[in-house]
Amino acid sequence: NAPDPELLANSKMALFLTPDAKLVVVHGGGASTNATALDTNKWYQVTVKLQDNKFDVLLNDAAIITGLSVKQAGVANTLASANFYGTGLIDELYVSHGDPAYAVPGPTAAVPALPDAGSLADEELTRVNAWLSEGSVAALTGLSQAQINTAYLLDSLSENAVDPVESYTFGISKIEMASPTQLNVTVSLTVDSVAKAGAVNGRIQLQGKVALGDAWTVLGSAITPSFAEFTNGSATYSFDIPAGGYAFFQPLIVP
């Protein structure tokens, strides 16, 4: 059903289907219609991505209309409410500062602005903001983005504040070759001279090289399936090593 004209006049954006089941997006420049008709007997995932008074519309995670301007109704960069009516059905409505396809939900409370948010990939930015939200961090005074990134990876928080990491040591303490393509590796981590206890916000990725003088190669298959967790500064994992004669290994903590 087409939106009510009065309601539409006071909306930032609107989406509806035409009688021939084509998706229409109403925006600041008028209205845009997607050429492909939808099967109204099927479910579709519709995503609206809003940033800086521009928005994109995605259908089943594929962008169909992008770079649209919102209608300037109400406060800029703010969606205060939504109105649903007509003969369609809606299920699993998701609203977040992040992407619904991400493995982690976005922050649930206001978080301080990062010094250089643009230096982070979208999903990493969502994870860092969610971490700040969970820790009830109110300010990041005097911290650089690099300090925040390191504190996030090592989960360094104290009394609702990011605790800057002065120094940390991370490396392999024991290595055992279970087969030519599988290694059992024990890594050790100390943060500011204290043995790490608990999880970090990253996975352990191995790099390898064949000869001592070679450059390090990231071994794509040699990564923990989830975030690493330490007991008294130690954690042991099994890694699949690709063929190629790798003989030297180095661990990384990656987002």
Side-chain angles (χ1 to χ4, degrees):
N1 297 44
D4 175 83
E6 183 177 351
L7 178 63
L8 198 58
N10 295 306
S11 300
K12 288 184 181 290
M13 63 182 74
L15 289 82
F16 66 93
L17 289 185
T18 62
D20 57 352
K22 293 181 179 180
L23 185 65
V24 179
V25 181
V26 180
H27 49 88
S32 300
T33 303
N34 189 39
T36 304
L38 305 184
D39 183 345
T40 54
N41 292 311
K42 293 183 178 180
W43 287 102
Y44 293 87
Q45 178 179 295
V46 181
T47 304
V48 175
K49 229 172 137 178
L50 173 68
Q51 185 173 5
D52 297 330
N53 278 328
K54 299 278 188 179
F55 70 99
D56 302 336
V57 177
L58 297 83
L59 199 63
N60 292 340
D61 285 330
I64 56 170
I65 305 175
T66 61
L68 302 174
S69 298
V70 299
K71 297 168 64 182
Q72 291 300 326
V75 181
N77 288 320
T78 300
L79 293 181
S81 62
N83 190 308
F84 303 98
Y85 69 92
T87 55
L89 297 172
I90 287 185
D91 188 31
E92 297 186 27
L93 177 66
Y94 181 99
V95 181
S96 173
H97 290 291
D99 187 319
Y102 292 168
V104 60
T108 56
V111 295
L114 294 169
D116 185 12
S119 64
L120 302 176
D122 285 349
E123 184 167 345
E124 189 178 359
L125 174 60
T126 302
R127 288 182 179 275
V128 171
N129 280 334
W131 176 69
L132 295 173
S133 173
E134 290 167 6
S136 300
V137 175
L140 298 170
T141 307
L143 295 177
S144 68
Q145 188 63 55
Q147 288 176 309
I148 295 166
N149 294 348
T150 301
Y152 163 72
L153 276 181
L154 300 179
D155 196 23
S156 181
L157 285 173
S158 61
E159 298 180 359
N160 306 122
V162 174
D163 194 7
V165 176
E166 299 298 331
S167 65
Y168 70 94
T169 59
F170 177 63
I172 294 175
S173 59
K174 181 180 178 182
I175 190 166
E176 179 184 40
M177 182 169 282
S179 75
T181 58
Q182 188 177 52
L183 291 179
N184 296 326
V185 178
T186 299
V187 293
S188 61
L189 174 63
T190 61
V191 180
D192 291 335
S193 301
V194 177
K196 177 65 180 179
V200 295
N201 292 312
R203 299 189 291 169
I204 297 175
Q205 169 88 66
L206 290 188
Q207 297 182 104
K209 54 186 178 181
V210 177
L212 187 59
D214 293 346
W216 289 109
T217 298
V218 175
L219 307 179
S221 59
I223 188 168
T224 58
S226 57
F227 287 176
E229 187 157 349
F230 291 81
T231 301
N232 195 26
S234 182
T236 301
Y237 292 97
S238 293
F239 294 94
D240 293 326
I241 307 301
Y246 293 101
F248 300 89
F249 303 94
Q250 174 177 281
L252 300 171
I253 298 177
V254 297

